[in-house]
Amino acid sequence: MTAMPRPVFDANPPAGGKDLGALPEWDLSDLYTGRDAPELAADMDWLKRACQDFEKDYKGKLGDLDARGMLDCIHRYEAINAKAGRIMSFAGLSYYQQTTDSDRVAFLSDCEDKITTFTTALVFFSLEINRLEESHLQGLLDADADLARYTPIFERMRAMRPYQLSDEMEQFLHDQSVVGDTAWNKLFDETIAGLEFEVQGEVMGIEPTLNFLTDPDRDKREAAARELGRVFSANLRTFARVHNTLAKSKEVEDRWRKMPTPQTGRHLANHVEPEVVEALRNAVVGAYPRLSHRYYELKRKWLGLDRMQVWDRNAPLPMEDPALVDWDRAKATVLDAYADFSPDLAELARPFFGSGWIDAAVRPGKSPGAFAHPTVTDVHPYVMLNYLGKPRDVMTLAHELGHGVHQRLAADQGELLSSTPLTLAETASVFGEMLTFRKLLAQASDPAQRKVLLAGKVEDMINTVVRQIAFYDFECKLHAARKDGEMTPDAINALWMSVQGESLGPAFDFMDDYQVYWAYIPHFVHSPFYVYAYAFGDGLVNALYAAYEDGTPDFQAKYFEMLRAGGSKHHSELLKPFGLDASDPAFWDKGLSMIEGMIDELETME
């Protein structure tokens, strides 16, 4: 309930500021003014008492509550979540600003330890809710409309009923998490943040090195790719140990819970049916030849190469303008694109820029990648970027602002209902990217500029859809294999390579050490099977955008209502007003056809 924010780490960003204008930094004082703030100490004390009082007042008594008593109980539980969320947001965001600062690391660990200890008193809550008879709970919901609003919360808790363990075991798993999976996550984060790479005589961290993979200079791209492989290989035993331990930890818990597959927990958390995910996965894999294989063959020709190497995958096109986009122009581009769709959308995004809600500069020790963290519903989201001024960084800004707007709109649902399942969490972000892309495409002054924009969008969509489904397949293979015993680094490498050739296609050769590139992907460590949510979101938005272009009546109003719903509705309910159904395999084909159509246009330009 108090998970700290996890960055997206989608692999680009280094040390910002040069020729980009004044890049904003976070002002975390809307949460707390500092680690020694008296308000933080008071909130920690309140949280301890509130958890103790909650256990004393409700443990063993939930079955005796009437509807109004259950509503009061839910409100108290929600208040505890909000207070813990505020503290952990502050600690987590402070940490991600400087992951190598020992004081911040210690502060985060202390907060996690204390809150884990306090909230042990709440473990009984979901367990007792799940022991209530269906007819009894339904009677309570039918008796009070205010309580009925929380139906999705009860449904999510009770989805775990078949997999619930004893009270003592559930409490043990809760207590030991800080020295279990959470500790391994920190080891991974700190190892990644501490890596050093030397590229053409310059020593740097992982983000500047990854950024060189998009450099116009092919020699620099190759040097960076080989150095990444060398350093990952040098640390491979650590990364293999992290993955082996976490995969085994998950296998043990899943086995005790009698979960049918390693993916079941993620599907339950995402409120999505396994067959829907399987339909998405199969549609994407079936489309590899029509999407990534075909596109990369085009790119090979544009680059004038006989064979593509892995360091050419994200290379800029020869006709691409290398000019950087300064911060003010990036801001204007995204806000204008949002305003073209709806002035209200731009107004929701505007406060991020002048209120310390964005941290954009790249600094040593700062977390790589980008994310938007909602904090708690009575504050506001915070966006992290590593802004380098590349056109793709503008798209990342549009993406994260989409998350931020979504989180602001959903905040009215309250702490328990505002959080959107991962499968829908990418909706506003990818839609914001699409709005920005379409605006830039409409402004393209010549065919070469249009070609560059189309190619860039296709690459982004392939990275979002094809790459992430390949990641998902790798995780499925890894967790299946770990059931049979310890995985050697070579065995993990082989699984990685088994999905890379299939997804990228015959245009590529793979250098020595590319087999270790699985090592730096944080989603595998922090959030197993998270990655399919990106493909889900991209396919969903492509279908949504097609409905928008087709002139669906009152589209903007329906879109805002979908975002405001947060986590209060199932994806089937949210998509119904647009005439869309994610359980229909044709839904995913429709989304993929948009990417295919862009590749068709690129082919006609040859």
Side-chain angles (χ1 to χ4, degrees):
M1 72 179 249
T2 58
M4 70 180 182
R6 295 296 183 198
V8 174
F9 286 92
D10 278 331
N12 280 353
K18 184 178 180 183
D19 302 325
L20 298 177
L23 298 179
E25 294 187 15
W26 282 334
D27 175 2
L28 298 181
S29 62
D30 287 341
L31 293 166
Y32 297 103
T33 55
R35 295 194 293 269
D36 58 352
E39 294 84 0
L40 194 155
D43 283 354
M44 193 70 85
D45 289 342
W46 180 92
L47 185 63
K48 180 180 181 179
R49 292 193 305 273
C51 291
Q52 293 169 343
D53 290 346
F54 188 88
E55 181 181 39
K56 182 183 66 175
D57 292 344
Y58 293 114
K59 188 173 183 179
K61 305 171 186 176
L62 292 185
D64 300 328
L65 297 176
D66 61 13
R68 187 51 53 170
M70 182 64 77
L71 180 63
D72 290 341
C73 175
I74 286 286
H75 284 163
R76 286 175 62 178
Y77 183 75
E78 189 166 37
I80 289 170
N81 270 264
K83 197 71 75 178
R86 178 185 283 261
I87 294 169
M88 287 308 304
S89 290
F90 178 74
L93 294 173
S94 298
Y95 167 75
Y96 281 119
Q97 281 186 299
Q98 187 60 259
T99 62
T100 53
D101 182 338
S102 58
D103 288 338
R104 297 181 191 225
V105 173
F107 177 69
L108 175 60
S109 294
D110 288 345
C111 289
E112 286 180 329
D113 290 348
K114 289 178 181 178
I115 289 177
T116 299
T117 299
F118 299 163
T119 56
T120 298
L122 308 184
V123 170
F124 80 89
F125 179 67
S126 61
L127 306 180
E128 289 194 24
I129 289 292
N130 287 347
R131 285 199 287 265
L132 296 178
E133 291 294 331
E134 194 67 42
S135 58
H136 176 73
L137 178 60
Q138 191 58 54
L140 296 179
L141 296 172
D142 290 342
D144 193 304
D146 291 334
L147 180 63
R149 196 175 78 82
Y150 290 94
T151 296
I153 301 303
F154 292 111
E155 289 176 346
R156 287 169 205 163
M157 286 185 190
R158 290 169 75 82
M160 285 296 293
R161 283 180 86 189
Y163 314 111
Q164 187 168 296
L165 301 175
S166 68
D167 292 11
E168 293 79 7
M169 181 62 77
E170 293 288 356
Q171 185 165 328
F172 169 76
L173 290 173
H174 177 87
D175 286 351
Q176 69 87 43
S177 64
V178 294
V179 293
D181 291 0
T182 299
W184 288 99
N185 288 340
K186 285 181 189 172
L187 173 62
F188 173 85
D189 288 343
E190 290 162 13
T191 301
I192 286 287
L195 295 179
E196 290 188 343
F197 306 82
E198 184 175 343
V199 181
Q200 297 184 343
E202 184 179 356
V203 177
M204 62 196 74
I206 190 170
E207 283 300 340
T209 312
L210 288 167
N211 186 63
F212 280 146
L213 297 180
T214 65
D215 198 275
D217 184 338
R218 193 169 191 240
D219 289 341
K220 188 174 286 187
R221 294 200 305 272
E222 179 179 357
R226 293 193 183 280
E227 177 68 355
L228 286 162
R230 183 191 70 79
V231 175
F232 294 155
S233 292
N235 291 272
L236 198 56
R237 286 198 300 175
T238 299
F239 291 124
R241 172 58 46 225
V242 169
H243 281 69
N244 266 292
T245 303
L246 288 172
K248 184 62 179 178
S249 172
K250 188 178 191 311
E251 187 273 327
V252 169
E253 183 171 338
D254 286 350
R255 177 159 35 89
W256 276 76
R257 292 189 184 281
K258 296 183 172 57
M259 287 193 169
T261 72
Q263 299 85 359
T264 298
R266 177 62 60 200
H267 299 336
L268 289 171
N270 285 345
H271 322 309
V272 66
E273 300 74 19
E275 56 270 22
V276 172
V277 178
E278 191 66 12
L280 164 65
R281 182 263 172 201
N282 292 341
V284 173
V285 172
Y288 284 170
R290 306 194 310 274
L291 301 180
S292 49
H293 297 189
R294 191 158 61 115
Y295 174 76
Y296 287 128
E297 181 59 26
L298 273 176
K299 185 166 186 177
R300 182 190 66 77
K301 295 176 183 176
W302 295 336
L303 294 174
L305 301 172
D306 293 329
R307 300 286 299 161
M308 289 271 279
Q309 304 295 330
V310 291
W311 55 82
D312 299 316
R313 183 172 64 87
N314 286 320
L317 300 182
M319 69 290 286
E320 192 169 326
D321 183 357
L324 297 178
V325 182
D326 67 37
W327 181 251
D328 286 342
R329 188 149 65 94
K331 169 185 172 181
T333 297
V334 175
L335 289 180
D336 287 350
Y338 277 28
D340 286 349
F341 173 76
S342 165
D344 291 341
L345 193 65
E347 288 309 305
L348 283 163
R350 199 174 301 280
F352 284 85
F353 290 96
S355 306
W357 298 5
I358 298 178
D359 195 310
V362 182
R363 299 181 299 274
K366 180 181 173 181
S367 173
F371 66 88
H373 177 57
T375 68
V376 286
T377 54
D378 61 349
V379 185
H380 56 75
Y382 282 92
V383 165
M384 175 173 276
L385 305 171
N386 281 273
Y387 189 80
L388 298 167
K390 296 192 173 187
R392 282 178 177 166
D393 294 332
V394 180
M395 291 299 173
T396 300
L397 173 61
H399 180 104
E400 300 306 338
L401 281 178
H403 279 308
V405 165
H406 194 173
Q407 291 157 358
R408 290 194 72 195
L409 286 168
D412 286 345
Q413 293 290 341
E415 202 62 38
L416 295 180
L417 287 167
S418 61
S419 180
T420 307
L422 292 178
T423 43
L424 294 169
E426 296 298 320
T427 303
S429 55
V430 179
F431 197 84
E433 277 191 78
M434 184 65 78
L435 292 173
T436 304
F437 163 71
R438 290 294 181 181
K439 182 171 183 65
L440 292 172
L441 193 65
Q443 294 174 344
S445 56
D446 58 68
Q449 189 179 6
R450 183 177 180 86
K451 182 176 180 178
V452 168
L453 286 167
L454 276 171
K457 186 60 178 173
V458 168
E459 286 200 15
D460 286 345
M461 295 168 102
I462 286 174
N463 283 337
T464 302
V465 177
V466 170
R467 186 168 182 252
Q468 302 298 337
I469 289 300
F471 283 179
Y472 177 67
D473 278 356
F474 166 73
E475 286 191 274
C476 291
K477 292 183 176 187
L478 176 69
H479 285 263
R482 184 64 181 90
K483 277 188 174 182
D484 297 329
E486 178 86 3
M487 297 286 290
T488 66
D490 285 345
I492 302 175
N493 293 347
L495 295 181
W496 173 257
M497 293 307 298
S498 73
V499 302
Q500 291 302 301
E502 179 188 21
S503 62
L504 293 176
F508 280 92
D509 288 334
F510 297 96
M511 68 175 192
D512 290 342
D513 281 338
Y514 182 69
Q515 68 270 17
V516 301
Y517 268 52
W518 55 268
Y520 84 98
I521 308 297
H523 295 94
F524 302 158
V525 174
H526 292 308
S527 307
F529 306 109
Y530 180 111
V531 289
Y532 74 72
Y534 291 113
F536 194 109
D538 200 275
L540 187 153
V541 166
N542 286 343
L544 259 185
Y545 200 86
Y548 171 51
E549 287 189 317
D550 290 343
T552 298
D554 302 318
F555 183 93
Q556 280 89 340
K558 293 175 181 176
Y559 179 72
F560 278 111
E561 279 305 301
M562 179 174 65
L563 300 190
R564 287 190 186 96
S568 67
K569 294 182 180 179
H570 189 264
H571 64 77
S572 58
E573 293 180 83
L574 294 173
L575 292 175
K576 191 173 182 179
F578 303 95
L580 301 173
D581 178 7
S583 65
D584 182 357
F587 172 87
W588 302 113
D589 291 331
K590 184 175 184 178
L592 295 172
S593 69
M594 179 176 285
I595 309 175
E596 198 172 350
M598 292 181 184
I599 299 174
D600 290 342
E601 183 176 348
L602 287 168
E603 285 186 332
T604 65
M605 293 179 171
E606 293 302 293

